[in-house]
Amino acid sequence: MTDNLRGALWMMLSMLGFGIEDAFFKAATATGGVSAGVGTVQFGLMAMTLYALYAVQQGVPVWTGEYLKPRLLIRTAFEILGRLFFALSLAYTPLSTTSAILQAAPLVVMLGAGLILGEKIGPRRWAAMAVGFAGVLLIVRPTPDAFQPNAILAILGMIGFAGRDLATRTAPMHVHAAQLGVLGFAVVTFAGLVIVAFEPGAPALPTAQAATLLCGTALAGVIGYTAITFAMRTGEVSVVAPFRYFRLIVALILAYSIFGERPDTLTLAGAALIVGAGTYSLIRDGRRRKTAPLAKT
C-alpha cells in the first residue's frame, strides 16, 4: 500500500468520523433532550478529557505556554467562531445544508492564502473559487422568497473553520497533535458556555438518550480529529486533501436515512459546484507544486 493510498484512507476515516459526529450531535439536540449549548459543553469536555489522556500517554504536558502566544490565540479565536456557529447550525439547520456549506472552507482558505499570506493564485484557481462561491449562493438563495436565514449560521461557522485552518499554517510545528486536540476541544467547551449564556431559561442536564448520543459525538469527533492528523502527515497533500469531500457524501446519506431530509435540486447542484471547484483547486495546486522546481532549473 502506497503512502498516498494510506493517506487517502485515513482522510476517508476522518470524514466518516466527522460525519457521524455531526449526525450524533444533531440527533441529540433535535429530540429536545439537550440544548445546543449544554450539548456542546458536554461534547467538548468529554473529547478534551480523551485528548488529555492521550497527551499523558504520549508523555507531553497537557498545558503549554504556547497556547497563549499570538499565533495560537488567533487560531483559537477563529476556532471559537467556527465551533460556536457550527453547533448552532447543526441544531437548527438541515444536516445536508450545513455540511454542503462547510465544504467551501478550503476555497476560503485558498482565498485567505492569496490575500493574507501572499501565496500566488493563478486565474484558473480564482475562477474555481468563483464557481465554488456560486454553489454556496445556490444553497443559501439570497432572495426574499427563497432565503434560508439559518444558513447564515453555517456560513459563519465555515468562515471560522477556514480562518482556523489558515492560522494553523503559522502555528508552531513543535506543538504536539495531542496538545492541539486539548486546545481545540477546550475551545468547543468555551463555545458551548457562550451559547448557554444566551439560551432562554436555566440550563438543564441532558436526558439519558441525549447524553448517550453526545458520548458518541465525542468518540466520533476524537476519531475524526486523530485520523485527519495522520492523513495530513501521510502521502502528498494534493492527493490526500480532495478526499475531504467524502464528508459531504457521508452527511447526505445520514441526512437522508436518519433525519428524512430530501435536499432539493438547487441544494444538490450547489454542493456539486462546491465539491467540484474545491477538488479542481486542490489538483491544480498539486500540479503547480510539482512543476515549480522544474521551472527554476
Side-chain angles (χ1 to χ4, degrees):
M1 187 182 295
T2 65
D3 285 344
N4 283 340
L5 179 56
R6 278 196 295 269
L9 292 174
W10 277 119
M11 181 62 78
M12 293 177 71
L13 174 62
S14 172
M15 295 303 105
L16 177 62
F18 285 140
I20 293 174
E21 170 200 319
D22 296 343
F24 272 136
F25 186 85
K26 185 168 184 61
T29 55
T31 59
V34 67
S35 69
V38 174
T40 303
V41 170
Q42 180 183 329
F43 162 47
L45 285 175
M46 291 188 63
M48 182 174 64
T49 301
L50 290 174
Y51 260 108
L53 294 173
Y54 175 47
V56 172
Q57 188 269 331
Q58 290 292 305
V60 297
V62 175
W63 170 264
T64 171
E66 295 288 343
Y67 293 159
L68 300 179
K69 292 189 176 180
R71 286 182 291 180
L72 277 183
L73 284 177
I74 292 173
R75 182 184 185 274
T76 299
F78 277 113
E79 177 104 42
I80 290 172
L81 177 68
R83 291 292 184 176
L84 178 63
F85 287 103
F86 188 65
L88 290 172
S89 182
L90 283 175
Y92 301 115
T93 305
L95 178 61
S96 53
T97 299
T98 300
S99 297
I101 292 176
L102 181 64
Q103 304 314 306
L107 297 173
V108 177
V109 170
M110 187 169 64
L111 176 64
L115 297 179
I116 300 173
L117 300 182
E119 292 187 10
K120 186 177 179 181
I121 298 176
R124 293 183 182 180
R125 291 202 293 159
W126 282 113
M129 270 191 283
V131 171
F133 294 136
V136 174
L137 291 178
L138 277 180
I139 297 171
V140 179
R141 280 164 256 176
T143 62
D145 295 332
F147 180 61
Q148 303 178 46
N150 286 343
I152 298 296
L153 298 173
I155 292 176
L156 291 173
M158 179 268 292
I159 292 173
F161 286 142
R164 176 203 63 188
D165 292 347
L166 195 62
T168 299
R169 296 192 179 196
T170 65
M173 292 298 294
H174 58 271
V175 177
H176 195 278
Q179 293 172 319
L180 284 179
V182 171
L183 177 61
F185 286 106
V187 167
V188 173
T189 305
F190 178 77
L193 292 173
V194 173
I195 298 173
V196 168
F198 289 93
E199 286 179 335
L205 292 175
T207 63
Q209 179 183 8
T212 302
L213 289 169
L214 290 171
C215 289
T217 302
L219 183 58
V222 168
I223 291 173
Y225 201 100
T226 303
I228 199 171
T229 301
F230 284 117
M232 299 310 292
R233 293 178 175 177
T234 307
E236 301 171 76
V237 173
S238 59
V239 175
V240 173
F243 287 89
R244 182 184 294 268
Y245 295 109
F246 182 66
R247 180 174 184 167
L248 181 58
I249 297 174
V250 174
L252 290 175
I253 292 174
L254 293 176
Y256 183 91
S257 59
I258 298 177
F259 302 105
E261 296 179 14
R262 302 293 184 270
D264 58 24
T265 302
L266 286 179
T267 298
L268 293 174
L273 285 178
I274 294 170
V275 171
T279 303
Y280 173 82
S281 297
L282 289 167
I283 293 174
R284 186 74 186 172
D285 180 66
R287 289 176 178 172
R288 179 180 63 81
R289 292 178 186 276
K290 287 180 180 179
T291 57
L294 298 177
K296 294 179 181 179
T297 58

